[in-house]
């Protein structure tokens, strides 16, 4: 068993968006609490709650959207602090990094001394953290989380893990099932015969069982990679834009995967090395739970580069030499056990599409080409989010009843910058909607964008929508109308603050 | 979307892929009667114009997205220069949003963007931001023909593209469902007209719901049309005494409101 030291920064998503641990704050994804600060937790806020519930428990709550890029970027600071002491740092995920403990422990005079040293280094860098040493990553992470950190003696992982509840395995379905079978702690789960666990719960259950017994999640893979599977891309002339490097990373990751697939292997750890024109080399190890997809690789390269650029003096006009080469080195190879592809849907981005998207992104930048994702919302413009090709789409289904949403059919054109409209009644006076949603007079003519006035042949409304009244920055009150003109055009109009504009065009 | 999808699937069962069999780029089943041959010729140029151009664009994208690709499993579409593209409406017509590529602001690089997409997708809907130059027209027409990608042009400069063999437009438009101060838009009954060298003579036309009340595109005969203007009711308030007062001119159709009436 390898001795592993884990540095764990509590509530990292909250730290990354600049919420102090002492202020009650939450980081939300899709209206649910993804992480909260210690102060918020003391008030009863928990992960998975809806914002509304969290705010009921703690009215002065600071709410922020989750920023995954910022998490990765800021964590580089922590990693740098740890790397000052010992060079081989693995980033398990933003907020959690690991180092092999055996060598440094000898150097610094014992495991406890190393643990305290690393913890102090991170705290000096300005971040709260816990650190723990144990056999294997899983036990070390739990040791780091428990009350500021601990050292679990060699061979003592199973006894250390035994009292923990099953929820720490991060497999809610398995934990739920085991709880109904009367097994409530890791110790109880570890006591089950492993053959039966594998038979009943499959490969993933067997893996969880190994974790619970304090063993490595996978049996050691003795086979060494025969060939050098690392891939390298050179840039001539040096790439001056991060985007260029990220695209190359995507392609290289594809090559890397092909090489690995030929050997029937997959890597759990990936070393990314970036060489700059001035001779500097930036390298970092990334760890991932499953196989790192090409997108995930590209994302990590982007984090690495953006973290570097933040350090650079005067990031705008900095002569940053450009990137000369990029190398991806697979580390910790394990046999590929295969994964089940989704049976339905899952439109796979084919090579042709990916190539075209790459070319357009080099022309127009990363956000130049997008794929639409339907999300919930009332207005036609709010129901669609455009996600740049290569980025992960926001999770969650567009469920929810959305009372007051504009009924089907949806408008064929949704202007990005809604043009203004002059709506006048039969006498030529502007139509006004009062605070109580009464209309001054039926609309008789509309003139879009200062154009020609067109008679209205049919209309309906007002449909009031008073949205996000609890949030002073984003709240808005509007009333919607549907209007058909004498020329056969139909519009979704909205009046907000006394001004009319076209929200949708049923062209 | 599911309803539209089911409906389209049912239609397919009875009229198996009229387009794909002959190597044509498929259109929505309802449009097969209008488009010559029941599908778009690969590599051809289609022009959209006038009222309803946006909906026709959505319908063509939806047709490819739903019925195109290898063995009709769904094709990819590119949309260039239309930041106002109604994704929700396209989805209701049957498009799969995960197979759409949107380039909202191509600026002056639009010919390069279209050229890159032409190799990859089955249909490109493009609104040129400027009058297309002769070089761009030649290059893109040749690329589209080479890769079998249908180039659909919309916007102010769509008519300036030489070699457009098919133009689609709608006329004789009736919107259903809206009254004076009540109702809601249900659908639009319109005659879709195909003209050009591929549809010689006076062209082909058919009356369609574009869109139907559920957002799909269907033939006009398939739906019991909703009444053009819904009957307007009056609100009847019954005060405590039991006297009935009608309030004409309030916007609630055919619904009785009871004010504290125990005898109601």
């Amino acid at each position: 068993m390898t001795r592993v030291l884990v540095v764990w920064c509590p509530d990292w998503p909250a730290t990354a968006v600049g919420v102090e641990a002492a202020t009650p704050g939450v980081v939300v994804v899709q209206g649910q609490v993804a992480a909260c600060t210690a102060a918020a937790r003391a008030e009863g806020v928990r992960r998975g709650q809806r914002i509304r519930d969290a705010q009921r428990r703690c009215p002065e709550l600071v709410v922020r959207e989750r920023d995954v890029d910022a998490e990765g970027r800021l964590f580089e600071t922590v990693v740098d602090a740890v790397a000052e002491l010992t060079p081989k740092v693995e980033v398990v995920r933003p907020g959690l990094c690991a180092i092999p403990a055996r060598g440094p422990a000898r150097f610094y005079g014992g495991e406890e001394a190393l643990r305290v040293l690393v913890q102090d280094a991170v705290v000096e860098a300005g971040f709260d953290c816990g650190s723990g040493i144990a056999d294997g990553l899983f036990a070390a992470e739990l040791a780091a989380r428990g009350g500021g950190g601990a050292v679990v003696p060699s061979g003592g992982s199973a006894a250390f893990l035994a009292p923990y509840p099953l929820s720490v395995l991060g497999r809610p379905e398995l934990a739920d099932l085991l709880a109904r079978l009367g097994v409530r702690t890791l110790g109880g789960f570890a006591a089950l015969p492993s053959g039966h666990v594998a038979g009943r719960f499959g490969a993933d259950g067997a893996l969880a069982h190994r974790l619970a017994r304090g063993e490595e999640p996978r049996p050691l893979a003795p086979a060494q990679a025969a060939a050098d599977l690392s891939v390298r891309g050179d840039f001539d002339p040096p790439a001056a834009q991060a985007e260029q490097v990220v695209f190359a990373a995507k392609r290289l990751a594809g090559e890397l995967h092909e090489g690995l697939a030929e050997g029937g292997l997959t890597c759990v750890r990936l070393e990314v090395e970036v060489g700059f024109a001035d001779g500097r080399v930036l390298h970092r190890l990334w760890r991932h739970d499953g196989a790192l997809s090409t997108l995930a690789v590209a994302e990590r390269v982007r984090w690495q580069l953006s973290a570097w650029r933040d350090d650079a003096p005067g990031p705008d006009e900095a002569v940053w030499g450009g990137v000369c080469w990029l190398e991806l080195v697979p580390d910790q190879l394990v046999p590929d056990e295969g994964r089940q592809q989704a049976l339905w849907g899952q439109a796979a981005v084919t090579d042709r599409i990916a190539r075209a998207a790459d070319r357009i992104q080099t022309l127009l930048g990363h956000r130049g080409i997008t794929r639409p994702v339907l999300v919930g919302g009332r207005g036609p413009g709010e129901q669609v989010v455009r996600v740049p090709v290569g980025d992960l789409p926001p999770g969650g289904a567009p469920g929810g009843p959305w009372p007051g949403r504009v009924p089907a059919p949806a408008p064929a054109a949704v202007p990005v910058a809604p043009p203004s409209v002059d709506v006048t009644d039969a006498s030529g006076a502007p139509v006004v909607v009062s605070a109580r949603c009464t209309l001054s007079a039926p609309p008789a003519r509309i003139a879009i964008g200062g154009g020609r006035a067109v008679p209205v042949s049919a209309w309906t409304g007002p449909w009031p929508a008073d949205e996000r009244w609890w949030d002073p920055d984003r709240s808005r009150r509007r009333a919607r109308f549907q209007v058909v003109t004498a020329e056969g055009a139909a519009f979704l109009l909205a009046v907000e603050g006394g001004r009319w504009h076209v929200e949708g065009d049923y062209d | 979307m599911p309803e539209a999808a089911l409906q389209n699937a049912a239609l397919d069962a009875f009229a198996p892929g009229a387009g794909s069999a002959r190597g044509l780029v498929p259109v929505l089943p309802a449009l097969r009667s209008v488009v010559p041959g029941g599908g778009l010729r690969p590599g051809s140029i289609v022009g959209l114009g006038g009222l309803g151009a946006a909906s026709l664009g959505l319908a063509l994208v939806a047709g490819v997205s739903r019925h195109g690709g290898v063995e009709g499993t769904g094709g990819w579409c590119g949309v260039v220069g239309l930041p106002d593209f109604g994704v929700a409406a396209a989805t209701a017509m049957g498009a799969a949003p995960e197979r759409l590529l949107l380039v909202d602001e191509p600026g002056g690089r639009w010919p390069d963007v279209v050229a890159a997409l032409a190799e990859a997708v089955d249909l490109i809907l493009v609104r040129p931001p400027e009058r297309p130059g002769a070089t761009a027209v030649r290059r893109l027409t040749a690329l589209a023909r080479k890769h079998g990608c249908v180039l659909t042009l919309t916007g102010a400069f769509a008519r300036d593209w030489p070699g457009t063999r098919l133009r689609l437009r709608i006329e004789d438009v009736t919107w259903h469902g809206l009254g004076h101060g009540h109702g809601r838009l249900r659908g639009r009954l319109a005659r879709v007209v195909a003209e050009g060298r591929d549809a010689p003579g006076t062209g082909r036309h058919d009356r369609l719901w574009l869109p139907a009340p559920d957002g799909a595109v269907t033939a006009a005969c398939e739906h019991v049309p909703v009444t053009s203007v819904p009957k307007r009711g009056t609100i009847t308030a019954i005060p405590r005494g039991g006297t009935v007062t009608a309030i004409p001119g309030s916007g609630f159709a055919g619904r009785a409101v009871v004010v504290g009436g125990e005898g109601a």
Side-chain angles (χ1 to χ4, degrees):
Chain A
M1 291 297 282
T2 50
R3 299 292 285 166
V4 176
L5 183 148
V6 161
V7 178
W8 169 70
C9 295
D11 311 319
W12 188 253
T15 314
V17 292
V19 184
E20 296 274 332
T23 15
V26 290
V27 175
V28 295
V29 175
Q30 301 247 324
Q32 287 198 332
V33 175
C36 59
T37 61
R41 203 173 299 116
E43 301 276 351
V45 178
R46 293 287 178 270
R47 267 164 60 172
Q49 274 174 350
R50 289 181 305 165
I51 302 180
R52 201 178 301 170
D53 294 337
Q55 280 172 330
R56 199 180 63 226
R57 288 187 169 78
C58 178
E60 67 273 23
L61 202 62
V62 181
V63 181
R64 293 272 186 281
E65 280 289 327
R66 184 166 189 180
D67 186 347
V68 181
D69 280 354
E71 287 171 28
R73 205 158 50 226
L74 191 64
F75 198 63
E76 285 287 289
T77 325
V78 175
V79 174
D80 283 342
V82 180
E84 288 285 311
L85 299 170
T86 166
K88 239 176 153 30
V89 186
E90 281 178 31
V91 180
V92 181
R93 60 170 186 271
L96 193 72
C97 66
I99 54 174
R102 181 180 291 185
R106 270 195 211 145
F107 184 81
Y108 289 110
E111 290 186 333
E112 180 62 29
L114 171 69
R115 192 187 73 76
V116 173
L117 199 64
V118 169
Q119 195 166 358
D120 288 353
V122 177
V123 171
E124 266 172 40
F127 299 102
D128 185 19
C129 84
S131 66
I133 300 183
D135 293 339
L137 191 65
F138 180 64
E141 184 186 336
L142 287 178
R145 281 167 176 262
V151 173
V152 179
S154 182
S157 278
F160 168 73
L161 291 174
Y164 277 94
L166 288 165
S167 56
V168 297
L169 283 170
R171 290 169 172 78
E173 284 180 13
L174 180 70
D176 181 45
L177 190 55
L178 284 169
R180 278 184 276 146
L181 293 172
V183 179
R184 293 203 165 70
T185 61
L186 286 184
F189 184 40
L192 301 176
S194 58
H196 289 222
V197 170
R200 174 65 182 80
F201 299 107
D204 189 56
L207 198 143
H209 190 239
R210 291 186 70 86
L211 286 177
R213 284 187 300 169
E215 294 174 11
E216 289 284 356
R218 290 181 178 81
L220 285 179
Q224 284 295 314
D228 183 9
L229 290 171
S230 58
V231 289
R232 182 183 168 112
D234 290 296
F235 299 96
D236 188 18
Q241 288 185 346
E243 300 292 346
Q244 239 174 308
V245 184
V246 173
F247 302 139
K250 250 188 261 182
R251 182 176 53 79
L252 286 179
E255 285 178 24
L256 176 82
H257 281 224
E258 273 175 31
L260 288 171
E262 276 176 22
L265 299 166
T266 181
C267 69
V268 253
R269 220 161 59 155
L270 183 77
E271 186 168 1
V272 179
E273 284 195 37
V274 187
F276 292 96
D278 54 4
R280 236 182 317 174
V281 178
L282 198 72
H283 73 108
R284 180 76 66 232
L285 280 169
W286 296 96
R287 181 189 267 273
H288 197 254
D289 294 334
L292 280 164
S293 69
T294 52
L295 289 181
V297 171
E299 194 172 330
R300 276 155 185 76
V301 171
R302 184 163 47 226
W303 291 348
Q304 206 166 321
L305 285 173
S306 57
W308 183 84
R309 289 189 76 172
D310 279 358
D311 297 344
D316 287 340
E317 70 274 20
V319 188
W320 63 294
V323 175
C324 273
W325 52 267
L326 170 75
E327 188 166 342
L328 305 179
V329 185
D331 199 14
Q332 272 206 6
L333 296 170
V334 290
D336 193 357
E337 288 157 347
R339 265 174 307 162
Q340 179 70 46
Q341 292 285 325
L343 206 52
W344 307 110
Q346 290 270 336
V349 179
T350 61
D351 288 351
R352 275 183 316 146
I353 301 287
R355 212 160 40 228
D358 269 8
R359 269 169 59 188
I360 292 166
Q361 282 177 326
T362 35
L363 284 174
L364 303 174
H366 184 60
R367 302 199 62 84
I369 180 166
T370 54
R371 293 166 79 185
V373 176
L374 293 182
V375 292
R378 287 189 182 80
E382 299 156 7
Q383 292 164 13
V384 178
V385 173
R386 285 158 152 80
V387 181
V389 173
D391 280 11
L392 297 176
W402 295 105
R405 70 185 290 172
V406 178
V414 184
V416 182
S420 63
V421 196
D422 295 322
V423 182
T424 46
D425 60 16
S427 65
V431 176
V432 180
V433 180
S434 77
R436 288 181 174 267
C437 251
T438 49
L439 208 56
S440 64
R445 285 169 177 279
I446 61 169
I448 294 172
R452 193 166 51 88
V454 187
V456 169
S457 64
W459 62 279
T460 184
W463 298 336
D466 190 359
E467 293 178 302
R468 298 198 200 89
W469 43 264
W470 57 90
D471 184 346
D473 297 333
R474 295 164 70 204
S475 70
R476 59 179 203 186
R477 238 173 93 85
R478 49 172 57 189
R480 294 193 170 95
F481 288 77
Q482 281 180 332
V483 168
V484 174
T485 67
E487 294 173 349
F491 298 99
L492 178 67
L493 303 183
V495 57
E496 188 176 354
R499 277 189 296 277
W500 292 78
H501 53 261
V502 178
E503 200 179 352
D505 183 353
Y506 297 86
D507 184 18
Chain B
M1 206 287 275
E3 280 170 36
L6 274 177
Q7 209 165 55
N8 284 332
L11 280 172
D12 285 352
F14 294 112
S20 58
R22 270 169 283 163
L24 294 173
V25 175
V27 293
L28 289 175
L31 281 170
R32 282 184 194 150
S33 58
V34 183
V35 176
L40 305 168
R41 287 194 309 116
S44 64
I45 313 284
V46 179
L48 306 175
L51 191 69
S55 291
L56 285 169
L58 294 174
L60 291 181
V61 165
V64 173
S65 177
R66 166 132 209 97
H67 304 284
V70 185
E71 292 174 358
T73 48
W76 286 76
C77 295
V79 180
V80 181
L82 284 94
D84 55 354
F85 185 76
V87 179
T91 312
M93 289 183 185
E98 65 271 18
R99 286 193 297 271
L100 293 182
L101 296 172
L102 310 181
V103 184
D104 289 345
E105 305 287 347
R109 312 297 296 270
W110 69 270
D112 298 324
V113 170
V114 173
L117 282 174
E119 296 179 15
V121 301
D122 302 319
L123 180 137
I124 302 174
L125 178 64
V126 54
R127 180 196 288 158
E130 61 199 1
R131 191 173 296 277
T135 334
V137 168
R138 261 199 311 277
R139 175 179 167 217
L140 296 181
T141 309
L143 270 175
R145 197 178 307 132
K146 182 180 165 202
H147 296 286
C149 163
V150 175
L151 212 52
T152 309
L153 296 150
T154 180
F157 303 108
R159 293 202 79 86
D160 297 331
W161 198 283
T164 310
R165 295 178 65 103
L166 186 66
R167 287 183 199 281
L168 295 177
R169 61 182 172 85
I170 63 171
E171 57 179 32
D172 202 1
V173 174
T174 327
W175 279 99
H176 286 260
L178 219 54
H180 287 273
H182 58 280
R184 62 182 174 90
L185 281 181
R186 295 278 181 176
R188 168 171 61 181
L189 207 51
R191 184 187 295 129
V192 179
V193 184
E195 295 164 321
R197 235 184 306 163
D198 278 356
T202 53
R204 302 163 61 114
H205 53 84
D206 198 3
R207 278 188 83 75
L208 301 179
W209 281 100
L210 184 78
D214 61 350
V217 183
T218 50
C221 56
E222 284 175 28
H223 265 272
V224 183
V226 285
T227 47
S228 169
V229 175
K231 279 275 190 300
R232 180 171 210 190
T234 48
I235 291 188
T236 314
I238 306 168
R240 253 176 218 292
T243 331
V244 174
T245 324
I247 309 171
S250 26
F252 293 87
R255 196 183 297 166
V257 177
V258 179
V259 183
E262 56 270 291

